[in-house]
Amino acid sequence: MLLKTSLRSLLAHKGRMVLSLIAIVLSVAFVSGTLVFSDTATSTFDKLFASTASDVQVSPAPPKGGNAADTGGKTLTVPATTLAQLTAQPGVKSAEGSVSVQSATLVNPKTNKAVGPTGGAPTIVGAWVPGPHPAMTVTSGSAPSGPRQMMIDADTAKHANLHLGDPIRIIGDQGTFDFTISGIATFTGTNPGAALAFTDVPTAQQDLLGSTGGYTSIDLYGDGSKTDDQLKAEVGAVVGSDYQAKTAAEQKADNQKGIGSFLDFMKYVMLGFAGISLLVGAFLIINTFSMLVAQRTREIGLLRALGGSRKQVNRSVLIEALLLGVIGSTLGMAAGLGIALLLIQLMKLAGMNLSTSLDISASVPIASYLVGIVITVLAAWIPARRAGKVSPMAALSDHGTPSEGASNKIRMALGLLVTLGGGALLAAGATAKQLAAGGSDLGLGLVLTLIGFVILGPLLAGVVIRLLGAVLPALFGPAGRLAQRNALRNPRRTGATAAALMIGLALVTGASVVTNSMVSSTSAQIDKSVGADYIITVNHGGLTAPMIAAAKGTAGLAHVTEQRELPATFTLPGGKSVDQLVSAVSPTFAQDFSLPVSSGSVNGLAAGGITVDANFAKDNSLKVGDRIGIDYGKGRTQSLPIALVTSTGNQIFDRHFFATIDTVDQAVPADQQPTDVVVFGKAAAGADVEKTLTALQDSLNAYPQVSVQDQAGYKKLVQKSVDTLLYLVYGLLGLAIMVAVLGVVNTLALSVVERTREIGLLRAIGLSRRQLRRMIRLESVVIALFGAILGTGLGLSWGITTQRVLRNSGLNVLSVPVGTIVVVLLLSAVVGLLAALLPAFRAARMNVLAAIASG
Amino acid sequence: MTTASTAVQASENPGGPSASAAAARQVTKAYGSGETRVTALDAVDVDIQRGRFTAIMGPSGSGKSTLMHCLAGLDTVSEGRIWIGDTEITGLRDKQLTRLRRDKIGFIFQAFNLLPTLNALENITLPMDIAGRKADPAWLQQVVETVGLADRLKHRPTQLSGGQQQRVAVARALAARPEIIFGDEPTGNLDSRSGAEVLTFLRRSVDELAQTIVMVTHDPVAASYADRVLFLADGVIVDEMHGPTADSVLERMRRFDGKRTS
Ligand SMILES: Nc1ncnc2c1ncn2[C@@H]1O[C@H](COP(=O)(O)OP(=O)(O)O)[C@@H](O)[C@H]1O
Ligand SMILES: [Mg+2]
């Protein structure tokens, strides 16, 4: 019986449910799409790695404190003698030595531009060693042979417009080498998005490693008599601790991790979208059901008068929600498949070919239905309870809407309590001395203020809209006054509608305050501490000796300051050991930078000391003169006195341990040190700074992966790196706004239906269509602006607190993007206008007589 | 058939200055088509005299509301022509009709006359607000006092009784000084005492303020407040009565019912 009533009611109000349904479908689609996509991607890569991995792979053990490839360090090798040894190992059918490095840059000599992916995926240059089950096959031309031939992958060839016979160049740690393209190879399965280039083995050894006879890894294929694990154990015993052996499964896991972190990022972004649309969708559902309950108050009252119990009424509403949830989840899951396909196409554009036969595991329907149904039923809970509370008297009263006043006091008290609690936490976080304490205060304060604002929303609506609306009658006449009153007449609905927009804008405002402060802080830090005129950075690989030499030869340059990072293990006086990077710098570093001195002296650096930052010193009770034991691995150690403790608050120096290259040379021979990560230049006294910049750029013209910037250019670069973050934030904003628009449209559309008679009356006594539309538009704009004001207010408090919390961790300058905030507020007004389009159109089209007669 | 002759007598050309506040000529209104076609009004001729209180009576479904809606420009006619004052409204577009309703017509509906978000005074001045006109304060004062609402002006409709709400509606209709006020069963939802109050105000506004009023009703007592009663049956004006009393109207209705059933 109940089910039948609920079903009938759902069908009767299907028009009003449409937008709620869209919200559910949207959120569920994001969830299911994300799951299907990551399942499909994972299984595609699983298959690829499973088919290409060798049974056991032997490679040099990474040095202490990190991975050689990550730090631009020297490429470590396995000697040819080991290959011979392993080939003879029992159980090994064949062994292949391979060479591949990620530090070399591929350049098209015709354009002098780098070829291949610029960020994320690597450029891999190595020897062509197909092995028993190769990942790639030669599809045109021939495999490379001899010192002048190279084969590249088909996708890279296509993107860079390179063909057989074209010249190609690599710039690596060993220098610059030119080749002719002899062949094009194509992936048998999925291209993970990297650029690949191959030469024959001796050429790769010579040009990439600097000497023949070494390999970066050795792939072993068993004869089937032993398991991979047995083989690994035996091989491990043979090669010793300088090398590591990995089974096929371990290799697969490693590869998976590399791709996985990128896929995980995609997954979290998508789930972020899903989260936002879920949150906003929930408000939409609350509003829809609230309005349905309000409209049916008399009907429900009658039901109660005839003997229906509270529970029955309550349950009939929840069952209606359940039905809506089931329908929404089903549609959403299906739409999710579309999203997954779309993502796969998107990946294809980015150069990653995933299988288009979707992999749908059981988790997809489970998650879809769980998310869709739980959210819908939870959101309908409050209106359902309200429906249950309708008294049988309501059936008799004329204005049968449930009163709102009763719970306002409780709401006010609770909302104030939570908001004030959150505010106090934010304040505490902003003034906290300790970063960790400030951070946890910030996190909790953020959540509490958000919840508090959502609770207080309906009450704030009264205040804010009264203020906002005060100007409406003056500006827009009667339509303005009617709009203001309409926005105020149901504060709970207005609050819930505006909350959707509020959340989105709070996030964006907060994030833009933080990113803006980041840029300003970094600029200020550069202004304050960088005396160098030029900053030379490299996009891919390291800054090699020939590059430094080329830079040094530039006319008008006084000197260059190199900086390279060496992974090491520190042993502190207390006996504690930590993995850190030592930043080895030229002695001129002290001239190019004004180091912020907490204690000690800059001179100590040149005298063979090391710097630590004040936080590190404090946490480990270190002072100037204490000695730190430094172990670079492979027996290369030294003990350095602390020459200088740098004060914190400047990212250039925080968490950095500077020593001069001369000091580090004493433990690590120069030819074993990694390439530079950054080089600074200083113009000679009297030289033209501008001209020298151009000269320096000209000197390094042969290296397209290197960029030379003056301070202004470098600041722009910092800005640009933050921009990526901002774009993500704006993407989220876009979605939040889109769903918030849905929310406003939903509320307005339902309100228009609810106020049919009023609209009829207004039209009868002479309100023109244009005035009617304006009335609805203004109401919409007022709701949107209300949400935007709360959102930006909340976001500002979040952003400012975050800056305060991080003031000693590099974010020392607060910078509020006033322009962005003004634009966001204006945009919200536009959002309001857009949201009102359809409801206003429908209201204006209403037949006056039918409207009067209705209800 | 005295009715038809008086109606046609008035003027063949009601445009131009005449005694009629509103006039209808050969107005036919049909709903639906084919077998389901209902002729709600059948070639009706009507003249509403200025400064008089006219009641339209008839049994349920006789076309009273339809006639009023057509006269007031709320509904379109199938055939025939209608004038409000000097303006022919048949053929006007929505924009012009809206302006006409705003500037020249007042409405009192049976129920739901007021906007719940506005207080009594704001409801009263709403038509003028919409038009962007200022209310004449002296006139407003007089109207408010006439309907006895001076102490209720700041109240919202939900804080007023049904009778008070209808009085606010009457005040709203009067305040803008429209050429004509249309009421569709304005006392239909009220008890007899409140109904009598509202009808008294309507009567006084005709006598003291020289307002023109057309009221649809099926209540003979209500009709007795009018100067003239038009009787409608099956979409045709079948009779009219001047200076009616409740008894005479009731008597006429009975005859009319008898005739119908016979
Ligand atoms: N919108 C409509 N559609 C179809 N028929 C209608 C419509 N409005 C009224 N009618 C019909 O027109 C006739 C007159 O209706 P109405 O003017 O409302 O009568 P009254 O007000 O005298 O009770 C009735 O038969 C009614 O059923
Ligand atoms: Mg009627």
Side-chain angles (χ1 to χ4, degrees):
Chain A
M1 210 294 279
L2 261 178
L3 185 71
K4 215 164 92 189
T5 335
S6 301
L7 192 65
R8 208 173 281 161
S9 161
L10 188 70
L11 287 176
H13 299 115
K14 57 181 178 297
R16 299 173 200 188
M17 295 287 184
V18 165
L19 287 165
S20 293
L21 195 68
I22 292 179
I24 303 171
V25 169
L26 213 64
S27 348
V28 172
F30 276 121
V31 172
S32 93
T34 307
L35 290 179
V36 171
F37 170 73
S38 70
D39 281 357
T40 307
T42 310
S43 83
T44 310
F45 286 112
D46 267 348
K47 280 181 215 144
L48 170 72
F49 297 137
S51 68
T52 56
S54 58
D55 296 337
V56 172
Q57 187 179 59
V58 175
S59 57
K64 285 202 169 162
N67 184 319
D70 288 346
T71 56
K74 277 259 173 281
T75 312
L76 302 172
T77 55
V78 190
T81 48
T82 310
L83 176 61
Q85 222 178 344
L86 292 177
T87 314
Q89 187 72 13
V92 172
K93 189 170 146 209
S94 67
E96 313 260 14
S98 75
V99 178
S100 92
V101 300
Q102 297 192 9
S103 58
T105 305
L106 213 51
V107 175
N108 181 351
K110 282 196 217 154
T111 58
N112 195 29
K113 286 226 169 71
V115 169
T118 42
T123 296
I124 302 170
V125 183
W128 177 245
V129 186
H133 23 251
M136 304 182 81
T137 51
V138 181
T139 44
S140 79
S142 58
S145 84
R148 298 281 62 88
Q149 287 193 358
M150 178 169 272
M151 176 166 68
I152 61 173
D153 75 279
D155 292 317
T156 303
K158 201 171 130 206
H159 285 141
N161 196 23
L162 289 168
H163 307 279
L164 289 180
D166 282 350
I168 183 119
R169 177 179 297 162
I170 57 169
I171 304 172
D173 297 348
Q174 303 303 322
T176 301
F177 305 95
D178 282 297
F179 300 89
T180 304
I181 297 174
S182 69
I184 307 276
T186 305
F187 275 93
T188 48
T190 293
N191 178 0
L196 292 106
F198 304 97
T199 63
D200 63 10
V201 176
T203 309
Q205 287 174 326
Q206 189 63 51
D207 293 355
L208 298 173
L209 307 176
S211 62
T212 49
Y215 302 97
T216 52
S217 66
I218 294 172
D219 287 305
L220 303 178
Y221 299 91
D223 56 12
S225 64
K226 291 188 165 120
T227 66
D228 289 357
D229 287 316
Q230 283 169 333
L231 209 56
K232 175 191 162 178
E234 292 172 17
V235 166
V238 171
V239 295
S241 66
D242 282 349
Y243 305 95
Q244 58 184 0
K246 281 183 177 162
T247 61
E250 286 167 335
Q251 293 170 49
K252 207 175 92 183
D254 275 2
N255 281 323
Q256 203 69 267
K257 218 161 53 190
I259 304 275
S261 63
F262 174 65
L263 289 179
D264 274 353
F265 175 74
M266 294 273 311
K267 196 162 150 180
Y268 291 131
V269 170
M270 294 296 299
L271 287 178
F273 283 166
I276 285 209
S277 51
L278 269 180
L279 201 65
V280 178
F283 284 109
L284 241 137
I285 296 161
I286 292 179
N287 268 349
T288 306
F289 277 88
S290 297
M291 284 186 234
L292 284 179
V293 167
Q295 276 164 25
R296 293 202 321 237
T297 303
R298 283 178 84 165
E299 192 184 313
I300 293 169
L302 188 65
L303 207 82
R304 296 271 286 121
L306 295 178
S309 73
R310 259 179 193 211
K311 219 174 182 173
Q312 276 174 318
V313 169
N314 195 330
R315 208 179 298 156
S316 79
V317 174
L318 285 182
I319 290 179
E320 217 173 307
L322 189 74
L323 290 172
L324 189 71
V326 170
I327 299 171
S329 306
T330 311
L331 293 178
M333 189 166 63
L337 302 186
I339 289 191
L341 283 174
L342 211 73
L343 283 174
I344 288 172
Q345 290 307 315
L346 215 69
M347 290 295 98
K348 199 171 241 161
L349 286 182
M352 191 185 272
N353 298 313
L354 299 175
S355 140
T356 44
S357 72
L358 296 178
D359 222 280
I360 303 166
S361 64
S363 67
V364 174
I366 292 174
S368 297
Y369 282 107
L370 211 67
V371 164
I373 292 172
V374 166
I375 287 291
T376 315
V377 172
L378 272 185
W381 192 264
I382 303 165
R385 261 184 36 131
R386 212 174 300 150
K389 280 192 188 148
V390 168
S391 81
M393 281 301 292
L396 308 173
S397 83
D398 195 26
H399 298 273
T401 31
S403 81
E404 282 205 346
S407 61
N408 270 359
K409 284 216 176 79
I410 306 170
R411 176 185 285 267
M412 169 85 93
L414 188 69
L416 278 180
L417 197 76
V418 175
T419 309
L420 289 179
L425 277 173
L426 287 183
T431 50
K433 293 252 177 331
Q434 288 289 318
L435 179 64
S440 65
D441 284 349
L442 171 69
L444 196 61
L446 218 125
V447 173
L448 285 185
T449 45
L450 179 65
I451 295 174
F453 263 52
V454 169
I455 298 176
L456 282 181
L459 302 175
L460 290 174
V463 182
V464 176
I465 292 179
R466 226 175 283 275
L467 287 175
L468 265 183
V471 300
L472 287 185
L475 284 179
F476 302 101
R481 173 157 55 200
L482 292 170
Q484 182 217 12
R485 299 289 169 85
N486 280 339
L488 272 173
R489 74 198 289 179
N490 202 328
R492 198 179 276 163
R493 188 186 295 173
T494 303
T497 308
L501 198 59
M502 175 184 86
I503 293 167
L505 292 190
L507 286 174
V508 170
T509 308
S512 71
V513 169
V514 172
T515 45
N516 225 44
S517 298
M518 236 143 93
V519 173
S520 301
S521 301
T522 312
S523 291
Q525 287 160 12
I526 292 172
D527 285 341
K528 208 167 133 200
S529 58
V530 181
D533 297 310
Y534 313 110
I535 295 148
I536 304 169
T537 51
V538 62
N539 197 350
H540 190 252
L543 288 158
T544 58
M547 298 177 194
I548 310 295
K552 274 183 178 157
T554 306
L557 204 62
H559 63 254
V560 299
T561 302
E562 301 176 56
Q563 180 174 340
R564 53 186 70 147
E565 313 272 332
L566 291 92
T569 303
F570 288 12
T571 307
L572 304 179
K576 190 175 140 194
S577 67
V578 284
D579 287 342
Q580 290 292 353
L581 290 174
V582 173
S583 303
V585 291
S586 311
T588 46
F589 185 73
Q591 297 169 33
D592 287 351
F593 290 84
S594 38
L595 286 132
V597 178
S598 170
S599 62
S601 124
V602 177
N603 299 335
L605 199 58
I610 189 166
T611 73
V612 303
D613 73 44
N615 275 341
F616 186 81
K618 195 169 148 228
D619 291 347
N620 298 293
S621 340
L622 297 173
K623 57 182 190 308
V624 172
D626 288 350
R627 294 192 86 86
I628 299 178
I630 299 173
D631 180 356
Y632 299 99
K634 300 223 171 97
R636 302 167 301 182
T637 60
Q638 65 185 163
S639 166
L640 298 179
I642 295 176
L644 170 68
V645 176
T646 54
S647 46
T648 53
N650 191 326
Q651 280 174 301
I652 301 173
F653 309 109
D654 288 353
R655 287 174 300 281
H656 274 83
F657 303 87
F658 293 102
T660 63
I661 293 175
D662 295 338
T663 308
V664 173
D665 278 346
Q666 289 160 17
V668 185
D671 64 348
Q672 290 178 21
Q673 288 180 19
T675 50
D676 295 343
V677 291
V678 59
V679 170
F680 305 92
K682 178 92 184 159
D688 184 326
V689 179
E690 300 270 316
K691 273 194 189 132
T692 311
L693 174 66
T694 321
L696 192 54
Q697 282 164 338
D698 285 345
S699 312
L700 290 165
N701 190 38
Y703 308 102
Q705 73 271 41
V706 173
S707 64
V708 183
Q709 239 94 32
D710 57 7
Q711 280 198 20
Y714 189 66
K715 282 183 204 159
K716 270 198 203 110
L717 217 65
V718 171
Q719 167 97 53
K720 238 170 141 182
S721 71
V722 173
D723 278 351
T724 325
L725 197 70
L726 264 182
Y727 291 144
L728 196 72
V729 170
Y730 289 151
L732 281 173
L733 170 73
L735 187 84
I737 285 189
M738 215 176 76
V739 195
V741 168
L742 271 187
V744 181
V745 173
N746 187 52
T747 299
L748 287 176
L750 296 186
S751 297
V752 163
V753 171
E754 209 174 83
R755 301 174 194 156
T756 300
R757 275 228 270 182
E758 257 173 79
I759 290 169
L761 175 68
L762 280 167
R763 292 277 290 126
I765 63 171
L767 194 76
S768 67
R769 287 198 167 129
R770 183 209 279 253
Q771 284 173 313
L772 178 62
R773 282 196 296 262
R774 178 187 286 175
M775 175 182 96
I776 293 169
R777 273 202 304 268
L778 287 176
E779 178 179 356
S780 176
V781 168
V782 164
I783 294 177
L785 274 181
F786 167 62
I789 289 172
L790 290 198
T792 42
L794 206 54
L796 273 178
S797 75
W798 294 353
I800 292 171
T801 308
T802 308
Q803 187 272 328
R804 296 307 301 156
V805 168
L806 296 174
R807 67 191 180 282
N808 290 328
S809 315
L811 209 62
N812 46 0
V813 179
L814 172 68
S815 167
V816 175
V818 179
T820 309
I821 289 171
V822 170
V823 168
V824 161
L825 284 176
L826 289 178
L827 212 68
S828 313
V830 175
V831 162
L833 285 178
L834 286 180
L837 274 182
L838 201 67
F841 177 74
R842 281 186 52 180
R845 282 267 309 262
M846 260 180 207
N847 180 298
V848 180
L849 274 180
I852 297 173
S854 79
Chain B
M1 273 284 161
T2 49
T3 332
S5 57
T6 33
V8 177
Q9 234 174 45
S11 154
E12 270 304 320
N13 179 16
S18 73
S20 290
R25 286 293 170 275
Q26 294 296 305
V27 164
T28 298
K29 173 75 184 177
Y31 293 107
S33 60
E35 270 185 28
T36 58
R37 186 178 159 97
V38 177
T39 308
L41 295 177
D42 194 359
V44 173
D45 289 329
V46 173
D47 283 275
I48 304 295
Q49 287 119 328
R50 232 182 259 286
R52 313 268 319 258
F53 190 168
T54 309
I56 301 174
M57 282 217 64
S60 179
S62 56
K64 303 184 296 289
S65 297
T66 307
L67 176 59
M68 191 205 99
H69 292 152
C70 290
L71 284 175
L74 285 171
D75 207 351
T76 53
V77 299
S78 307
E79 268 169 59
R81 305 167 74 184
I82 289 173
W83 288 262
I84 293 283
D86 299 341
T87 318
E88 175 168 3
I89 65 166
T90 30
L92 287 188
R93 312 220 284 158
D94 179 79
K95 207 172 181 173
Q96 298 157 307
L97 272 179
T98 303
R99 189 173 304 147
L100 182 100
R101 287 199 303 267
R102 191 184 77 188
D103 296 336
K104 301 201 166 163
I105 300 176
F107 285 100
I108 308 162
F109 296 103
Q110 182 172 355
F112 203 84
N113 264 301
L114 307 179
L115 284 195
T117 51
L118 302 181
N119 66 29
L121 181 63
E122 288 166 339
N123 263 296
I124 292 172
T125 57
L126 185 58
M128 285 169 282
D129 281 351
I130 291 174
R133 276 189 277 133
K134 268 260 164 289
D136 171 359
W139 175 251
L140 192 63
Q141 175 89 14
Q142 194 183 341
V143 167
V144 166
E145 269 163 22
T146 311
V147 293
L149 283 165
D151 55 341
R152 291 277 190 279
L153 291 179
K154 293 287 170 202
H155 291 218
R156 291 278 173 101
T158 43
Q159 298 165 314
L160 298 173
S161 72
Q164 287 168 333
Q165 288 182 29
Q166 287 305 82
R167 271 149 59 191
V168 174
V170 171
R172 181 188 63 204
L174 290 172
R177 291 209 229 214
E179 291 199 4
I180 186 165
I181 292 176
F182 289 100
D184 191 354
E185 315 240 11
T187 57
N189 269 14
L190 301 181
D191 59 83
S192 56
R193 225 194 84 193
S194 316
E197 264 175 32
V198 169
L199 287 163
T200 308
F201 294 132
L202 290 179
R203 183 67 249 172
R204 277 178 63 190
S205 66
V206 174
D207 294 341
E208 297 170 17
L209 313 174
Q211 182 65 55
T212 309
I213 296 180
V214 178
M215 173 180 74
V216 166
T217 184
H218 64 265
D219 175 12
V221 178
S224 70
Y225 284 81
D227 296 312
R228 172 185 176 222
V229 183
L230 297 172
F231 292 94
L232 204 61
D234 293 332
V236 179
I237 293 185
V238 291
D239 201 356
E240 75 166 78
M241 182 186 282
H242 290 271
T245 65
D247 288 338
S248 66
V249 173
L250 191 63
E251 176 58 24
R252 177 66 190 85
M253 289 291 282
R254 263 205 211 108
R255 257 201 300 143
F256 174 58
D257 277 354
K259 204 160 64 185
R260 253 179 33 138
T261 42
S262 65

